[in-house]
Amino acid sequence: MKQPHLVISSLDLDRIEQLLGNHPQHLALQEELDRAEMREPADMPPDVVTMNSTVRFKMPSSGNEFCLTLVYPKDVQGDESKISVLAPVGSALLGLKVGDSIAWPGPAGRTIEVEILEVVYQPERAGELHR
């Protein structure tokens, strides 16, 4: 499967790289950041999954659909409507756009696949550029 083009905001990139400094085991996420196109928050396309976006996606292997908000680990706090960017599915979502899918290393060495159906809410699209 060809890897999709990723777009990430400069603000998200700075914050996630700081986070990864404390979590070096997240090599796959760092590799994705290294290949992503960086844009300023004001220039973010409206259909790209950014931090604090609410995204509707499916896992083709099971057909299950989810609608979750991608957040930093400190913001999850047991809220089942949120997913950490450091969780395997959370890492996979970041930077994708509607229609993209990606295969990602999952728990126990299994590969998970996610497909983006809709970006329900995106802070940049809503004008929240410094959240």
Side-chain angles (χ1 to χ4, degrees), residues 10-65:
S10 56
L11 181 66
D12 290 349
L13 182 64
D14 288 346
R15 289 179 176 169
I16 293 168
E17 287 192 328
Q18 286 178 353
L19 192 62
L20 290 175
N22 301 323
H23 298 87
Q25 69 276 25
H26 294 280
L27 184 61
L29 178 54
Q30 183 62 58
E31 289 172 352
E32 290 296 276
L33 295 176
D34 291 345
R35 73 178 191 85
E37 174 189 345
M38 187 179 70
R39 295 206 186 169
E40 291 307 309
D43 299 328
M44 187 57 56
D47 62 346
V48 170
V49 179
T50 62
M51 291 304 300
N52 298 300
S53 288
T54 301
V55 59
R56 197 167 60 83
F57 64 96
K58 74 177 178 184
M59 301 184 83
S61 61
S62 65
N64 291 341
E65 279 191 25

Side-chain angles (χ1 to χ4, degrees), residues 1 4-5 7 9-10 17 28 39 51 53 74 79-80 85 89 107 113 125:
M1 172 186 279
H5 179 75
V7 180
S9 83
S10 56
E17 287 192 328
R39 295 206 186 169
M51 291 304 300
S53 288
K74 66 179 177 49
D79 184 338
E80 292 186 6
V85 69
V89 171
E113 187 179 346
R125 187 172 67 207

